[in-house]
Amino acid sequence: MKIHLTSVFVDDQDKALRFYTDVLGFVKKTEVPLGKDRWLTVVSAEDPDGTELLLEPDGHPAVKPYKAALVKDSIPAASFAVDDVHAEFDRLRELGAHFTQQPLEMGPVTTAVLDDTCGNLIQIVHSK
């Protein structure tokens, strides 16, 4: 068994698609209209057949309070592996990403946390 799909709740699918592709570097995998929303997924450009990330509309009444509580407590909604957190931090900042946590080394793990502009904190991480 392996993870096929995971999701982040977003407040605007178009804005999310732009951020997750133009800034983070993912590529659009699937886009299927579903009324006013879409089944919209992105994947790693390095692994186009890998795990898909669903950019899930946050319209359910339970979602906005959930997202707000995570952000208030500085809890990332997702974590993405990178080869070099410091280099990725610099690259993303140049593209306008706002970080809530600078690169932090914690033993064998280095992390940084950014705002995805869609109501979530996203962690980037590298394990040595």
Side-chain angles (χ1 to χ4, degrees), residues 7 22 40 64-65 85-86 104 112:
S7 63
D22 296 348
L40 182 60
K64 289 187 193 304
V85 169
H86 294 279
L104 178 63

Side-chain angles (χ1 to χ4, degrees), residues 13-32:
Q13 285 185 303
D14 290 325
K15 180 172 65 170
L17 182 61
R18 283 190 303 275
F19 184 82
Y20 281 80
T21 57
D22 296 348
V23 178
L24 296 185
F26 293 112
V27 294
K28 182 169 66 171
K29 173 85 176 199
T30 306
E31 182 172 5
V32 178

Side-chain angles (χ1 to χ4, degrees), residues 11-80:
D11 58 12
D12 180 312
Q13 285 185 303
D14 290 325
K15 180 172 65 170
L17 182 61
R18 283 190 303 275
F19 184 82
Y20 281 80
T21 57
D22 296 348
V23 178
L24 296 185
F26 293 112
V27 294
K28 182 169 66 171
K29 173 85 176 199
T30 306
E31 182 172 5
V32 178
L34 297 170
K36 69 176 185 72
D37 296 316
R38 297 168 282 171
W39 181 265
L40 182 60
T41 68
V42 295
V43 293
S44 169
E46 299 167 13
D47 190 11
D49 295 320
T51 304
E52 293 179 53
L53 179 66
L54 175 63
L55 303 177
E56 177 91 27
D58 68 359
H60 187 281
V63 174
K64 289 187 193 304
Y66 167 75
K67 286 173 51 178
L70 290 179
V71 170
K72 181 178 180 250
D73 290 341
S74 301
I75 299 171
S79 181
F80 303 133

Side-chain angles (χ1 to χ4, degrees), residues 80-85 108-111 124-128:
F80 303 133
V82 297
D83 291 332
D84 181 335
V85 169
V109 176
T110 303
T111 66
I124 57 173
V125 62
H126 177 256
S127 300
K128 296 176 187 163

Side-chain angles (χ1 to χ4, degrees), residues 58-123:
D58 68 359
H60 187 281
V63 174
K64 289 187 193 304
Y66 167 75
K67 286 173 51 178
L70 290 179
V71 170
K72 181 178 180 250
D73 290 341
S74 301
I75 299 171
S79 181
F80 303 133
V82 297
D83 291 332
D84 181 335
V85 169
H86 294 279
E88 197 66 11
F89 173 84
D90 292 339
R91 182 187 78 81
L92 293 171
R93 279 193 34 195
E94 286 180 20
L95 292 172
H98 169 72
F99 279 81
T100 62
Q101 178 201 300
Q102 304 267 329
L104 178 63
E105 295 185 25
M106 299 174 284
V109 176
T110 303
T111 66
V113 178
L114 63 129
D115 180 337
D116 77 349
T117 73
C118 301
N120 303 291
L121 298 178
I122 301 297
Q123 177 177 265

